[in-house]
Amino acid sequence: MSTESPANSSPDDTVVVVGGGPAGCSAGVFTARYGFDTVVFDRGNAALQRCAYLENYLGFPAGIDIDTFHELMHAHAEEVGCELVPEMVVSVSRDDESGFVVETQEGRRVEAEYVVVAAWYDGSYLRDLGDEAMFEMHEHHGELEERFDPDYPDDDGRTPIEGLYVASPADARSAQAIVAAGNGAHVARCLIEDYRRNRGYPEGVAAHYDWLRPDAEFSGEWEDRDRWREWFANEVGDDYDADDEGLADLREEYIDRAFDTARTEAEVADLSERGLERLVEVIGPKRVLDAIDDGTIHEHVGEPTESGDERPIESNHE
């Protein structure tokens, strides 16, 4: 990546996420999938690492160890296009031309239109933004210390500084990993919604839904773009001129995005296979094999020994 901004991008389409924990990675997944060049800075000291073992994150029936969970989060972020940078952000400042300038301890400098705060540390890196309302005095172990005020953003993560969003700290929404991840996703969706509004999307169609659909949903009347145009006009209401060229362009863009979410049964099967392959790749094939009893592996391979029993498999599985 360039020390100025992500490759092949400009500040106008760049999001910087400060923090690579559940909130930050979740936010990054949503912004990257929408199409923003997304850089996630992670100094490797997330609060979740103080947890002995994660037992209440949906999707892991018997829980998951913290190191593996981090590997899966980061792999997911990178899979969808985030650039994960293991550096500590020391300064976020405003620039009239580029929006935000984000600098790291190692001297990296990235320009971005949007910054998502998703790190628990003291927030001092935001001081150059010049808003003292960000900070409050807080009693910690009997001593007063300054911290970032979790009430500075609104409930959707928006702040008084345009383009600055906060996914964490967020009081109770930062207290559990699964809630923090959900809040990161919500804040990212609000960022995307604001971006779309700024481009001229009317209220009724500004929200973005990251949702793949079976191609059967685009059959019948819904395979006709005119039917989508009719729906779009109904959603935006009578306060907008349907013949306005700018709105018509946004309408066609909206419809294009809708059709781009369609997946055939074969594509869904390929995605499912890819998902399982990446999961095993990140966790490690040996760990997966170690978790399966030998009898099940022999039965799957189905190679009998000379005595008629299944032949022992000499592999990494012990």
Side-chain angles (χ1 to χ4, degrees), residues 70-316:
H70 267 277
E71 289 175 14
L72 289 168
M73 283 195 307
H74 290 175
H76 192 172
E78 291 180 318
E79 179 77 13
V80 299
C82 294
E83 181 174 4
L84 197 64
V85 182
E87 296 179 12
M88 179 177 177
V89 171
V90 295
S91 173
V92 177
S93 58
R94 292 287 290 180
D95 184 281
D96 291 339
E97 294 183 2
S98 61
F100 293 99
V101 177
V102 180
E103 298 184 67
T104 72
Q105 195 170 42
E106 289 73 11
R108 188 184 299 256
R109 183 176 183 271
V110 177
E111 298 174 351
E113 182 178 7
Y114 299 102
V115 170
V116 178
V117 175
W120 274 68
Y121 57 103
D122 62 12
S124 59
Y125 61 92
L126 298 170
R127 282 212 169 274
D128 288 343
L129 292 174
D131 190 350
E132 289 300 318
M134 290 182 180
F135 304 95
E136 67 171 6
M137 297 305 295
H138 171 69
E139 185 174 339
H140 183 65
H141 297 309
E143 296 185 5
L144 285 177
E145 59 182 36
E146 190 175 67
R147 70 171 186 178
F148 182 83
D149 185 354
D151 292 327
Y152 180 72
D154 66 16
D155 289 341
D156 296 319
R158 297 181 174 96
T159 73
I161 298 177
E162 185 176 357
L164 180 70
Y165 296 79
V166 178
S168 182
D171 271 350
R173 285 166 292 168
S174 297
Q176 301 281 272
I178 193 165
V179 181
N183 190 54
H186 176 72
V187 170
R189 285 193 68 236
C190 291
L191 182 159
I192 294 167
E193 183 176 344
D194 292 346
Y195 167 79
R196 287 157 68 93
R197 281 203 189 99
N198 289 339
R199 293 191 58 223
Y201 275 94
E203 182 69 27
V205 292
H208 173 65
Y209 297 91
D210 191 340
W211 186 270
L212 298 181
R213 301 174 174 94
D215 64 346
E217 290 193 11
F218 294 87
S219 60
E221 64 176 320
W222 292 104
E223 65 182 337
D224 186 349
R225 291 182 72 94
D226 282 339
R227 178 66 183 90
W228 281 89
R229 294 182 181 110
E230 178 185 332
W231 175 88
F232 189 94
N234 182 66
E235 292 298 308
V236 302
D238 297 331
D239 295 335
Y240 293 86
D241 181 4
D243 295 326
D244 178 80
E245 183 177 349
L247 183 60
D249 288 343
L250 292 175
R251 180 193 65 208
E252 297 307 304
E253 178 181 283
Y254 187 102
I255 297 171
D256 286 342
R257 275 189 174 271
F259 275 91
D260 283 344
T261 66
R263 297 294 184 272
T264 65
E265 289 185 4
E267 288 172 328
V268 170
D270 288 342
L271 288 171
S272 298
E273 189 68 23
R274 168 66 175 165
L276 287 173
E277 287 175 355
R278 284 293 286 131
L279 182 63
V280 172
E281 182 182 328
V282 174
I283 294 175
K286 183 179 185 301
R287 291 184 66 188
V288 174
L289 289 170
D290 285 344
I292 305 172
D293 66 86
D294 289 338
T296 300
I297 293 178
H298 288 306
E299 181 180 351
H300 177 72
V301 175
E303 294 183 351
T305 63
E306 290 182 1
S307 63
D309 297 328
E310 290 173 338
R311 180 183 301 138
I313 299 172
E314 295 181 2
S315 68
N316 289 330

